Amino acid sequence: MQDKINEIEKSIDDAVKDVESSKTLQEIKMRFLGKTGEISALMKNMREVPPEQRPSMGKLLNALREWTEERFNAIEKRIKEFELKRRYSEEKIDVTLPAKVTDDGAYHPNTLIRRELISIFSGMGFEVFEGPEIENDYYNFTALNTPADHPARDMQDTFYISSDLLLRTQTSAGQIRVMENKKPPIKILSPGKVYRSDDDATHSPMFSQMEGLVVDKSITLCDLKGMLDEFAKKIFGAGVKTRLRPSYFPFTEPSVEVDVSCFECGGSGCRLCKGTGWIEVLGAGMVNRHVLEGCGIDPDIYSGFAFGMGIERIAMLKYGINNMKLLFEGDTRFSKQFKG
Amino acid sequence: MKAPLSWLKAYVDIDVTAEELQAKLFSCGFEVEELIEVGKAISGVVVGEVIECSPVEGTHLHVCKVDCGDKGIFQICCGADNVKKGIKAPCALVGATVYTTAKDHVTIEGVATIKKGKLRGIESDGMLCSGAELGLNGDMYEGAEYCGLLLLPKDSVNGSDIKPIVGLDDYIFDISVTANRPDCQSILGIAREVAAVLKKKLKEPDYSYTAVKADKKDIKICDLAPDLCPRYIGHYVKDVKCAPSPLWLRQRLAKCGLRSISNIVDITNYILLELGQPMHAFDLRTLAGHEINIRRAGDGEKITTLDENEFTLTHDNLVICDKDKPVAIAGVMGALNSEIENDTTEVMLEAAKFARDSVRKTARALGQHTDSSALFEKGVNEYTTERAMARALHLIEELKCGTVTDLHVDVKTENSHTEEKKMTVSVKTINALLGIEVPAKQMVEILENLNFKVSVKGDEMLITVPRYREDIDGYPDIAEEIIRFYGYDNIEGTFLPSAAITNGGFTEEQKAENRLKDILVAKGLYEISTYSFYSQKDLDMLHFAPDAKERKAIRILNPITEDLSIMRTTLAPSMVNVIVRNLRRGNTVGKLFELSKVYLADELPVNDFPEERDKLSIGVWGKYDFFDLKGIVESVAGALNVKFEYKPCELPFLHPGITAKVVCEGVDVGYLGVISPKVAEELALERTVYVAELDYEELKNHRKPFKYVPLSKYAEVTRDLALTCSVATTCAKIEKEIYAACKYVSNVKLFDVYIGEQIETGKKSMAFTVTFTPKDEPIENKIDGFVKKILANLKFKLDITLR
């Protein structure tokens, strides 16, 4: 019997010597361990073995079976590893081949800036109000304390569509509509298109503005500065400072021009800031008492500030766009750069 | 506003550099747009004395020895005809920079660096200069107009820098003055601010004069248009002697860009610059009846101005007239008929205030913009009008060009304002506005430096406003004056410490709009923005009929060009123009959208606020087709949670077979289609272009909130049905009938269409995947029944059979 066992062990060794695939291994395995396999056949022969020899025979055969199973398992493990490695090398690709591209859309730069501004100010409690683009003289000028003979009202600057109706020249017109219908506390943003009869390298007859207005009790010039500091940091970077300097707008008093320290050079002077270290970004001021009065808000109780900025200007500064016309041409080579 | 530093120094002791002054002016609200260094191009030119001078035979040249003091003695060859021993002239040393002039010896062509050279073989170590070579003319320096050497005073020191001697050591501040400060449109006005910012005393110009008794009968002045001319002052000057003005006056005019004419005219121009009050001088001989009538012009009335232009006037123009005729367009320009001549002996000087609106409209209507009209447009104050007349009379006396009489006619109308404005302002209120604590003492000091009179009573300041400060209206203006000089750097940011909490953010409608854009961008579209105006030509481009509703566009009364003259009624022309531009630039593929307004008037011309409707315009070209575009439109429906139906339709610029109107809940909301071959050919489109336009304003009414539908416990079941139908049967009809036949159908999706040999002529095969969604019980065993019902319905309604 031992001879038989030795013979089987030897024939297993011979059979698995050159096995390279798990399929062949499986066949060999069946040859020995299958229901009709050689080891099973020996097991069946147990009946013919005299009873007294059966326990020792059984032990031998079980040992053989275990040895065989272990052997096959070990070989199988080796072959699987080998096969996986072969598959890895066969399936290897050039990962530097180009990507399969899906169409990427892009927002207009104005939308990106507009959303960024709204997100900054809505966090501070501002609502968004959009007034009409076609306004009348009252909302665009008179109510904004722009006297009848003010140069800004002249035909040169304003597009008129009738003696009274015009294309709004400033989103400030929206201020009045809000203040007429809402009592303080007021915090609104009024974004939108505005129109001026100007057309050259730095002016477009249509552009966009974002107006902000705060009216409440005890609002000060320091509050205006504080809010604009926050805005400048959020939109241009944490290190950016603001500077106020005197200016004039009919609907604010005092009026200021607001500069931010140059975010390109940090204030040391470069091409972007024309060597001054500062960039003009917006106009602002304390709401003129006449404007509040005209809207039925008592200026002895309430005060407020307003600020207005050109969205295209902010976009051009932030993204380094060198020509305003590009914003209105719809050239896909331009558009695709603003993935947002 | 141009202000020479040398002139400002006449009124203020300026002890800072030009750059420092620039910074100071900036801090108090006067931005210096350009600081012009007068003699910037000139360097290395010194006083040289010709100590030897001998002609070079056979030429016009002289060889000279020039003594340049501590710089040395140089041999210089000179071609000027006035070179001779003993003169002093500007000497450009080797390495100096001077202007080069054209053959006329006047026109400046560029800047040259002087090198060692040889003229006709004679060494020349420098160059003796003319006035023009230093950038000077006769108004800037006596004799500088001469084509030869510029002769310098005998007492100038050899070798010293030429610039201070000829006035080239100056700076000109080009200052931007805000619209609320017309009082600063003058040298004196700027000087007042300079004095305040430097805390120096202002030296006022001399306004004194002595009047002699006029031996003349009266001059009659009658203001017939007090609304346009609130104040008019006339003054009679006799014994006028026209002559050139002295150098100091000519120099000041020249630095501000004005040409000297003769003393009387120069004085009026000088006052215009110095005080900001335009003046005019009439030759009394030409004033018929010695009368001045200020009135509106008659329609069609004519006048020829000093510059020999004839104008036809209207009722809107204000004119100064004598007894018979207009002698000036008020505030704009005098007439040729009353011009000061060399033999003028009697003059009536005019100083007046004209309404700014009137002058602006006249100047613009006539296209006649003058220094005078510019000042009146910005606004002249009567304090200055009064002062200007006195100052002019003083100068007439000083220049000895006439005898000032006591004949002075001052017409004050009901629109004239000469009273001083007084106000009471609380220190506390000002600080409450500013948000900082400026001490009262400093407030008073700042205001006094600006010529406000202030007396303090407890918390209150009693303030008298200088008459020329017509912009000061209430305490915020006072607060601004204070912070301007106290310094904006003292404003420390605070964050609304006392304001009420407000609830910010977007409205639902604004959020929906953001979402729509997000989805379109996610679908690979680029957002564009185009002008809200175009022209009727753009509507022609898309073949809109003359009576199409799109033609009913609002016209801009004063467009920049005809191309931008009407407010758009549809976005399609803008989109097509953008695509045409892209194709011309080689951008052969694209997907674009624009969400913008159109402007619709009930009637034209408009007399009420027109309707502004949001429209969504989409354009695709290149590798995309109709169904790509339809897919985008479907995404819009998805974004708004609505269903669209599509029906064939025709539009003038679209292919009639490949165009659909979009219907939402029974309402037409837009269209999509392909640009017709005819339009495509006219526009030379190299790719097929698809456009859609949706009425987003209408869609807002249909937008529905998203709601969760509970999931069924049971699995959905799908069945594929291949149907045979007439080629004319539309997909939408079949879908509709499948839905109608069974309430469990949740989706019907076409996956194949076949027309060909395998099927009889006139028929097509369409294959659909139908999805059945169970409700409260499994439906697997019912599907066969559903399908039978669907097929029966299709057979009955559309004569469709299973293939």
Side-chain angles (χ1 to χ4, degrees):
Chain A
M1 195 56 177
Q2 187 61 49
D3 292 347
K4 187 76 184 165
I5 288 170
N6 289 345
E7 193 185 310
I8 287 177
E9 281 182 1
K10 185 166 184 312
S11 64
I12 288 175
D13 278 343
D14 289 346
V16 301
K17 207 168 68 190
D18 297 322
V19 170
E20 276 194 351
S21 82
S22 38
K23 197 175 162 230
T24 324
L25 183 72
Q26 202 57 34
E27 285 164 16
I28 300 167
K29 196 175 168 183
M30 289 308 285
R31 211 178 97 202
F32 295 99
L33 289 173
K35 276 182 185 164
T36 55
E38 291 182 26
I39 293 173
S40 306
L42 283 183
M43 292 285 206
K44 278 176 194 152
N45 287 342
M46 281 287 277
R47 268 174 248 151
E48 291 153 30
V49 174
E52 65 279 11
Q53 287 180 20
R54 277 185 199 168
S56 63
M57 270 313 269
K59 237 180 193 168
L60 275 176
L61 280 176
N62 275 335
L64 171 69
R65 195 189 172 91
E66 270 168 34
W67 176 87
T68 309
E69 276 173 354
E70 269 168 35
R71 186 145 172 75
F72 276 114
N73 283 345
I75 294 167
E76 194 172 7
K77 202 175 160 203
R78 181 175 54 79
I79 287 177
K80 280 244 163 94
E81 265 169 31
F82 172 77
E83 281 181 336
L84 199 59
K85 271 189 191 146
R86 189 167 60 196
R87 188 166 166 198
Y88 285 164
S89 94
E90 278 170 9
E91 293 179 358
K92 188 176 164 68
I93 58 157
D94 176 0
V95 295
T96 67
L97 290 175
K100 283 185 192 167
V101 182
T102 53
D103 291 341
D104 278 335
Y107 297 92
H108 191 271
N110 280 4
T111 300
L112 295 177
I113 296 297
R114 184 180 148 128
R115 286 188 178 186
E116 200 168 338
L117 291 172
I118 292 174
S119 112
I120 291 170
F121 286 105
S122 65
M124 303 181 192
F126 282 74
E127 289 174 84
V128 181
F129 171 83
E130 290 166 278
E133 291 176 21
I134 293 178
E135 271 294 4
N136 64 12
D137 185 274
Y138 177 77
Y139 286 106
N140 197 71
F141 290 128
T142 310
L144 287 162
N145 196 36
T146 309
D149 58 351
H150 195 279
R153 300 183 64 143
D154 205 275
M155 292 284 277
Q156 282 292 314
D157 308 307
T158 309
F159 288 118
Y160 284 91
I161 62 167
S162 80
S163 59
D164 186 45
L165 294 170
L166 47 87
L167 307 191
R168 66 176 172 191
T169 58
Q170 48 200 13
T171 43
S172 315
Q175 277 186 21
I176 306 302
R177 289 183 180 271
V178 170
M179 286 194 282
E180 277 179 349
N181 293 305
K182 197 169 152 60
K183 294 301 138 205
I186 293 171
K187 277 194 214 132
I188 53 138
L189 278 184
S190 184
K193 288 175 183 166
V194 298
Y195 302 88
R196 290 192 197 166
S197 187
D198 260 336
D199 198 3
D200 58 42
T202 51
H203 295 91
S204 162
M206 180 185 93
F207 59 104
S208 307
Q209 281 186 337
M210 174 86 73
E211 184 89 4
L213 171 73
V214 172
V215 182
D216 202 343
K217 288 174 183 163
S218 325
I219 301 292
T220 71
L221 192 59
C222 290
D223 292 332
L224 169 63
K225 163 103 168 141
M227 185 158 284
L228 294 176
D229 282 343
E230 280 302 306
F231 146 78
K233 284 192 182 102
K234 284 195 163 142
I235 201 139
F236 295 118
V240 167
K241 288 191 279 292
T242 65
R243 172 176 79 174
L244 307 183
R245 59 190 162 89
S247 188
Y248 170 71
F249 306 106
F251 38 94
T252 50
E253 185 72 33
S255 300
V256 291
E257 210 64 71
V258 182
D259 301 333
V260 296
S261 59
C262 182
F263 42 86
E264 198 76 17
C265 63
S268 57
C270 67
R271 248 178 65 176
L272 183 68
C273 60
K274 297 187 189 92
T276 63
W278 294 93
I279 298 170
E280 187 179 320
V281 290
L282 59 90
M286 303 305 290
V287 180
N288 192 300
R289 289 170 58 85
H290 298 304
V291 174
L292 293 174
E293 262 163 5
C295 298
I297 295 174
D298 186 344
D300 290 329
I301 300 175
Y302 295 103
S303 57
F305 60 75
F307 54 86
M309 62 192 102
I311 293 181
E312 284 83 359
R313 174 158 176 79
I314 306 279
M316 290 172 79
L317 284 172
K318 192 164 164 139
Y319 301 123
I321 301 166
N322 54 3
N323 183 347
M324 194 163 183
K325 293 264 180 294
L326 289 168
L327 291 158
F328 304 109
E329 284 183 346
D331 190 315
T332 54
R333 294 167 300 170
F334 172 83
S335 303
K336 70 176 163 205
Q337 301 184 35
F338 300 92
K339 301 256 153 93
Chain B
M1 166 71 216
K2 284 200 167 84
L5 180 60
S6 57
W7 199 345
L8 290 171
K9 282 181 170 169
Y11 314 111
V12 189
D13 283 325
I14 297 173
D15 52 3
V16 294
T17 66
E19 288 78 12
E20 283 165 342
L21 185 58
Q22 177 179 19
K24 292 262 185 194
L25 283 167
F26 185 80
S27 73
C28 68
F30 294 88
E31 187 179 351
V32 177
E33 289 179 335
E34 197 185 356
L35 178 59
I36 304 157
E37 199 183 324
V38 174
K40 196 179 180 188
I42 307 298
S43 68
V45 184
V46 299
V47 177
E49 182 178 353
V50 179
I51 51 174
E52 279 178 30
C53 180
S54 38
V56 180
E57 218 152 302
T59 71
H60 68 294
L61 298 174
H62 284 78
V63 58
C64 311
K65 284 268 187 299
V66 181
D67 178 1
C68 293
D70 57 354
K71 309 288 179 307
I73 294 173
F74 304 98
Q75 174 173 298
I76 290 172
C77 232
C78 179
D81 61 359
N82 61 342
V83 65
K84 61 179 184 190
K85 188 180 166 183
I87 62 159
K88 292 193 176 186
C91 178
L93 304 172
V94 171
T97 52
V98 295
Y99 289 114
T100 54
T101 56
K103 285 221 170 80
D104 63 0
H105 299 289
V106 176
T107 312
I108 289 171
E109 284 190 325
V111 177
T113 304
I114 301 300
K115 296 187 190 88
K116 245 183 215 264
K118 274 189 179 173
L119 270 86
R120 307 274 170 113
I122 304 160
E123 271 194 26
S124 188
D125 288 349
M127 184 178 94
L128 293 171
C129 304
S130 71
E133 282 158 345
L134 301 176
L136 298 169
N137 63 30
D139 284 343
M140 292 157 91
Y141 195 78
E142 209 72 72
E145 74 285 4
Y146 187 65
C147 282
L149 299 182
L150 175 66
L151 301 179
L152 299 173
K154 287 280 173 227
D155 58 356
S156 25
V157 179
N158 293 352
S160 62
D161 187 2
I162 191 83
K163 285 189 186 181
I165 299 168
V166 297
L168 286 177
D169 59 339
D170 205 357
Y171 289 87
I172 292 167
F173 294 82
D174 191 353
I175 301 168
S176 134
V177 177
T178 52
N180 59 327
R181 296 300 304 274
D183 61 300
C184 289
Q185 294 286 356
S186 64
I187 308 292
L188 184 65
I190 296 294
R192 285 189 198 118
E193 296 289 320
V194 170
V197 78
L198 297 178
K199 297 182 182 158
K200 299 271 183 181
K201 186 123 190 72
L202 181 83
K203 289 175 275 181
E204 283 275 353
D206 197 342
Y207 301 102
S208 65
Y209 61 91
T210 320
V212 303
K213 185 105 191 95
D215 46 8
K216 199 93 202 165
K217 52 201 172 302
D218 209 8
I219 294 174
K220 212 178 100 202
I221 299 178
C222 185
D223 189 348
L224 300 165
D227 53 332
L228 305 186
C229 175
R231 183 85 181 265
Y232 194 98
I233 304 171
H235 201 111
Y236 166 57
V237 176
K238 62 176 187 175
D239 307 333
V240 168
K241 286 179 282 294
C242 267
S245 299
L247 182 66
W248 66 266
L249 196 152
R250 289 184 351 241
Q251 269 178 343
R252 286 184 174 176
L253 295 180
K255 280 196 177 145
C256 294
L258 292 188
R259 202 164 47 88
S260 169
I261 295 164
S262 68
N263 46 17
I264 295 286
V265 177
D266 286 355
I267 286 171
T268 62
N269 282 335
Y270 184 84
I271 300 288
L272 175 140
L273 295 171
E274 186 186 45
L275 304 181
Q277 169 71 54
M279 291 186 72
H280 193 66
F282 296 99
D283 185 334
L284 200 64
R285 285 179 298 191
T286 65
L287 290 185
H290 289 179
E291 265 180 39
I292 288 287
N293 293 303
I294 304 143
R295 61 166 171 83
R296 287 169 181 271
D299 285 329
E301 198 166 356
K302 285 191 164 60
I303 188 169
T304 302
T305 47
L306 289 172
D307 56 357
E308 297 178 29
N309 284 319
E310 191 188 63
F311 294 101
T312 306
L313 305 173
T314 72
H315 185 72
D316 290 329
N317 309 130
L318 187 70
V319 282
I320 311 299
C321 305
D322 63 11
K323 188 162 166 268
D324 310 319
K325 59 185 185 295
V327 290
I329 304 173
V332 179
M333 196 180 267
L336 201 56
N337 58 20
S338 52
E339 188 185 17
I340 301 293
E341 305 275 3
N342 282 335
D343 61 349
T344 299
T345 57
E346 293 174 296
V347 154
M348 196 211 74
L349 281 175
E350 166 200 285
K353 172 171 175 148
F354 300 115
R356 50 188 194 177
D357 211 21
S358 157
V359 175
R360 179 167 65 246
K361 281 181 180 149
T362 296
R364 194 142 286 160
L366 304 180
Q368 188 78 336
H369 298 272
T370 59
D371 291 334
S372 163
S373 70
L375 282 170
F376 280 119
E377 285 175 35
K378 285 166 182 139
V380 158
N381 64 79
E382 289 177 56
Y383 170 82
T384 302
T385 309
E386 296 158 13
R387 287 291 184 110
M389 183 57 86
R391 178 72 175 146
L393 296 173
H394 170 85
L395 287 173
I396 284 173
E397 228 173 61
E398 186 183 325
L399 267 55
K400 300 188 174 61
C401 53
T403 305
V404 177
T405 74
D406 62 353
L407 180 46
H408 178 89
V409 188
D410 186 346
V411 182
K412 283 186 202 172
T413 71
E414 66 267 31
N415 298 319
S416 160
H417 299 288
T418 54
E419 63 287 353
E420 283 182 324
K421 206 183 283 176
K422 289 184 184 352
M423 53 176 78
T424 305
V425 177
S426 140
V427 170
K428 221 180 274 170
T429 313
I430 288 179
N431 280 333
L433 181 70
L434 297 176
I436 52 172
E437 292 297 321
V438 182
K441 204 171 144 249
Q442 259 179 297
M443 290 191 184
V444 173
E445 190 192 317
I446 288 168
L447 291 172
E448 283 178 348
N449 286 341
L450 287 164
N451 299 333
F452 288 75
K453 284 180 216 138
V454 190
S455 61
V456 184
K457 213 171 154 194
D459 175 54
E460 286 186 332
M461 296 187 288
L462 302 164
I463 296 172
T464 306
V465 180
R467 276 181 58 207
Y468 52 84
R469 290 301 302 272
E470 293 182 342
D471 59 306
I472 302 293
D473 178 40
Y475 79 83
D477 299 287
I478 299 292
E480 179 166 61
E481 292 308 291
I482 288 164
I483 193 64
R484 253 183 349 115
F485 290 93
Y486 188 69
Y488 274 92
D489 338 341
N490 292 304
I491 298 292
E492 291 282 344
T494 53
F495 209 67
L496 300 174
S498 60
I501 300 281
T502 49
N503 189 8
F506 289 107
T507 61
E508 284 307 313
E509 196 169 287
Q510 290 157 351
K511 281 187 216 162
E513 188 182 308
N514 287 345
R515 192 177 138 71
L516 176 71
K517 285 189 181 181
D518 291 343
I519 284 176
L520 290 169
V521 169
K523 294 282 166 193
L525 279 77
Y526 298 152
E527 185 189 8
I528 60 166
S529 175
T530 57
Y531 287 160
S532 303
F533 19 59
Y534 46 49
S535 79
Q536 290 286 355
K537 269 188 290 179
D538 293 286
L539 295 171
D540 296 344
M541 173 179 81
L542 297 189
H543 293 217
F544 282 105
D547 59 348
K549 64 179 192 308
E550 286 81 1
R551 295 279 185 183
K552 211 175 136 189
I554 298 162
R555 225 192 119 69
I556 295 169
L557 301 180
N558 55 331
I560 291 187
T561 79
E562 202 51 39
D563 289 344
L564 306 175
S565 60
I566 57 170
M567 299 307 289
R568 58 185 173 181
T569 51
T570 158
L571 304 185
S574 310
M575 179 58 78
V576 171
N577 280 326
V578 166
I579 295 174
V580 167
R581 191 180 302 129
N582 268 296
L583 283 169
R584 283 195 192 138
R585 292 180 182 178
N587 303 332
T588 53
V589 179
K591 285 196 282 190
L592 305 176
F593 79 94
E594 175 170 19
L595 182 61
S596 280
K597 287 175 168 183
V598 296
Y599 311 84
L600 309 173
D602 280 345
E603 55 179 346
L604 292 177
V606 273
N607 51 24
D608 201 359
F609 286 103
E611 192 188 356
E612 298 179 16
R613 287 186 83 81
D614 275 326
K615 294 264 188 175
L616 174 66
S617 160
I618 303 169
V620 304
W621 73 97
K623 63 183 181 187
Y624 307 108
D625 65 15
F626 180 85
F627 296 101
D628 287 311
L629 177 60
K630 191 174 172 188
I632 296 166
V633 172
E634 282 290 274
S635 299
V636 173
L640 299 166
N641 198 20
V642 294
K643 284 226 157 24
F644 287 162
E645 291 173 71
Y646 301 86
K647 293 179 181 161
C649 81
E650 291 187 18
L651 279 164
F653 57 101
L654 297 180
H655 188 307
I658 317 177
T659 298
K661 69 174 166 182
V662 182
V663 181
C664 180
E665 296 176 336
V667 183
D668 285 2
V669 292
Y671 61 83
L672 69 159
V674 57
I675 296 291
S676 77
K678 189 165 165 33
V679 174
E681 193 188 324
E682 285 164 2
L683 296 174
L685 298 177
E686 286 169 10
R687 294 286 188 283
T688 314
V689 171
Y690 301 85
V691 292
E693 184 166 355
L694 298 174
D695 188 348
Y696 185 67
E697 200 71 37
E698 175 64 32
L699 288 173
K700 287 177 192 171
N701 303 329
H702 299 270
R703 182 172 61 85
K704 290 183 184 49
F706 290 89
K707 266 225 163 127
Y708 165 72
V709 179
L711 305 180
S712 171
K713 276 188 281 190
Y714 310 102
E716 289 182 339
V717 181
T718 61
R719 282 294 155 89
D720 289 350
L721 303 176
L723 306 171
T724 304
C725 60
S726 151
V727 284
T729 310
T730 64
C731 182
K733 272 186 190 163
I734 299 175
E735 283 177 7
K736 200 175 151 206
E737 291 308 331
I738 296 175
Y739 277 115
C742 173
K743 63 176 181 179
Y744 290 96
V745 173
S746 59
N747 192 28
V748 180
K749 195 168 185 291
L750 179 81
F751 67 88
D752 188 40
V753 180
Y754 175 78
I755 301 174
E757 286 173 15
Q758 306 292 318
I759 206 156
E760 94 185 68
T761 316
K763 299 267 183 182
K764 64 182 172 183
S765 164
M766 295 179 99
F768 293 88
T769 298
V770 181
T771 307
F772 300 91
T773 302
K775 297 198 163 74
D776 308 325
E777 52 187 304
I779 49 168
E780 261 164 66
N781 52 354
K782 296 184 182 167
I783 299 295
D784 290 343
F786 294 159
V787 170
K788 214 176 264 176
K789 209 172 149 198
I790 288 167
L791 292 174
N793 196 42
L794 288 172
K795 173 78 190 151
F796 176 69
K797 293 270 182 59
L798 301 169
D799 193 26
I800 290 171
T801 54
L802 196 63
R803 195 175 168 204

